[in-house]
Amino acid sequence: MTLPSKRLKMLLVASLLVNVFLVGAALGGLYQWSKHQPQPGAVVQHGLRQALAQLPEDRRHQLRRMLRETRQENQPLIVASRQAHRDVMQRLQAPTLDRDALDADLDRARTADITLRTRFDATLADFAASLPADERQKLAQAMTARRQGNAQKVMKD
């Protein structure tokens, strides 16, 4: 056998090994992807979105309307929260850090966020108070499903 034909043979064997490896990796990836693929038509939803999906159509519209109204009523607070977060980012990006001003901006952002959360939670509580017991049960199960899944995942780790 001549030297060029030995090199050619070695290149062909190396190419064959690389191709076998690539095909195996592609098939393994495809298998993993298909194994963990959600069911057709299933939409992964969490928290309030999942809860909305569990409610009857008229209740969904009612809750969406209530949340929309709460958002409109609290628009100035939402704007203030966004501005406070922007101010925090600007303070952190400044060449020198003014710690007192940063603390004040963080406090404004935290206060606005907590106030907003409190108001949206109150809206959700008002909505829940208008539901019959069976619909409240569905709402509670849908809203805690993700938390329970996360708690189980943490326990496994």
Side-chain angles (χ1 to χ4, degrees), residues 9-88:
K9 221 178 205 182
M10 291 295 279
L11 286 173
L12 288 174
V13 168
S15 174
L16 179 66
L17 289 174
V18 168
N19 284 327
V20 167
F21 174 76
L22 289 175
V23 168
L27 289 175
L30 183 62
Y31 171 74
Q32 287 294 327
W33 178 75
S34 66
K35 184 178 176 184
H36 298 292
Q37 194 69 2
Q39 298 298 325
V43 177
V44 179
Q45 297 177 332
H46 303 343
L48 196 52
R49 289 181 192 261
Q50 183 178 6
L52 278 169
Q54 302 294 323
L55 294 172
E57 187 74 22
D58 59 330
R59 295 293 188 180
R60 267 187 263 167
H61 289 299
Q62 179 186 3
L63 180 55
R64 283 187 183 128
R65 181 185 47 76
M66 290 174 74
L67 290 171
R68 199 171 25 252
E69 288 171 0
T70 301
R71 181 177 174 83
Q72 289 171 349
E73 292 167 2
N74 290 288
Q75 196 61 37
L77 191 56
I78 292 169
V79 170
S81 172
R82 288 179 183 159
Q83 183 59 49
H85 285 280
R86 278 193 295 270
D87 292 345
V88 166

